[in-house]
Amino acid sequence: MTNLLVINAHPKVDDDSSVTLLVLRYFLETYSKRNPEAHIEQIDLYREYVPGIDRVFLDAQEKVKRSERLTEKEQRTTARMTELLRQFQRARQYVIAMPLHNFNIPSRLKDYMDNILIPRETYKFTETGSVGLLNDGRSAVVIQGSGAVYTRQDWYTEVEYSHKYLHSMFRFLGFDDYRIIRAEGTALRKREDILAETYREAYEAAIQLAP
C-alpha cells in the first residue's frame, strides 16, 4: 500500500479562495481515483502543533546529552518532534501545498523541515560528506502559489528561494524525484487561466505518482 503524506503549509488551511489549495484538492482527487488503495495522511501546519527551534528545544537537547530529567514542556516538545519525524519517515510520497511568502517558504514549513532534517534519522555524516538516508525511491511534489511570476528568467527567478531551498533539502535527504507546480501570477493573471494550467500539471503529476 502506498503512503502519501500531504503537508498543508497554507495559513488559511482550507479556504476555497486559495488557488494553491484548489490545485491541491484537484491533485488529491485525481490521485485517489488512480490509486484508491493508497493511505493518505495530512498535516495542517497552521492548525497543528509544530515545534520550532527555540529555547525549549535547545534546553531539551542539552539535557538529553547530559542524561538529565526534562520538564513537562520539554517532554511534550521532544515527543511531538519524534511523532512528526516518524510520520514523515512512514510515507513514500509527499505533496506540499504552500503560498510563497516574501520569496521563501512559510515560517511554519521551515519549522516543520527542522523537525525532519535529523542526523542519523534522515541523513548522516560520512568522511566524504553527508548522505541522505531516504534514498529508496521517494517522490515529492510541491504546489506553490505566488502573486508574481517566477519563470521568466529575470530578477524574480533569482530570488525564488522557496524552490531552491526545498529542492536542495529533498535532494539532501536522498530524493531523486522532486517536482514543483507553480500557480503563479495570481496578482497579475486571470484566475481561470492559472487554474487551467495548474490543473493540467497537477493531473500529470498525480498520474505519474499513482501506480
Side-chain angles (χ1 to χ4, degrees):
M1 180 183 294
T2 306
N3 288 338
L4 172 68
L5 179 60
V6 181
I7 303 167
N8 180 5
H10 202 295
K12 292 187 176 181
V13 183
D14 54 7
D15 192 335
D16 288 338
S17 67
S18 166
V19 171
T20 304
L21 296 180
L22 288 174
V23 177
L24 172 63
R25 184 180 304 169
Y26 183 80
F27 173 92
L28 292 175
E29 289 173 354
T30 305
Y31 181 91
S32 297
K33 288 177 182 178
R34 288 280 296 190
N35 191 7
E37 301 300 320
H39 176 66
I40 300 176
E41 280 190 85
Q42 178 164 327
I43 178 170
D44 299 314
L45 302 188
Y46 281 86
R47 179 176 282 159
E48 303 179 44
Y49 173 46
V50 179
I53 297 180
D54 56 11
R55 179 66 179 268
V56 175
F57 166 79
L58 295 175
D59 286 347
Q61 295 298 301
E62 292 174 1
K63 287 182 179 180
V64 169
K65 292 178 182 178
R66 298 193 298 262
S67 299
E68 296 179 4
R69 184 180 180 85
L70 302 181
T71 66
E72 289 187 11
K73 189 172 184 179
E74 290 165 350
Q75 290 178 31
R76 287 196 299 270
T77 297
T78 55
R80 178 56 173 162
M81 295 183 77
T82 299
E83 182 182 19
L84 293 174
L85 174 63
R86 297 294 177 247
Q87 181 188 53
F88 188 84
Q89 290 173 318
R90 284 196 304 270
R92 298 279 302 174
Q93 299 174 336
Y94 309 80
V95 57
I96 299 175
M98 66 175 196
L100 190 68
H101 283 175
N102 293 323
F103 312 113
N104 216 325
I105 63 175
S107 58
R108 290 286 178 86
L109 181 54
K110 177 56 169 64
D111 287 338
Y112 180 81
M113 295 299 292
D114 288 335
N115 282 264
I116 64 172
L117 290 162
I118 306 297
R120 297 177 299 279
E121 291 283 357
T122 53
Y123 72 93
K124 67 179 180 179
F125 293 111
T126 71
E127 294 181 354
T128 57
S130 61
V131 176
L133 298 178
L134 304 183
N135 54 358
D136 52 357
R138 301 178 188 227
S139 302
V141 175
V142 174
I143 300 171
Q144 173 182 279
S146 63
V149 176
Y150 289 83
T151 53
R152 292 173 175 166
Q153 303 306 312
D154 56 9
W155 181 86
Y156 282 92
T157 302
E158 290 297 316
V159 298
E160 190 195 16
Y161 302 119
S162 56
H163 167 58
K164 295 174 183 177
Y165 171 73
L166 289 176
H167 191 197
S168 297
M169 290 304 99
F170 278 101
R171 288 183 59 191
F172 176 72
L173 294 176
F175 284 56
D176 289 324
D177 186 13
Y178 169 95
R179 71 195 79 182
I180 183 171
I181 300 170
R182 293 182 176 88
E184 57 182 348
T186 58
L188 307 170
R189 306 169 59 214
K190 292 182 179 179
R191 179 185 178 92
E192 55 268 29
D193 292 341
I194 297 171
L195 286 175
E197 292 176 6
T198 51
Y199 279 174
R200 283 195 296 269
E201 293 183 53
Y203 179 86
E204 293 173 1
I207 293 301
Q208 290 178 17
L209 242 60

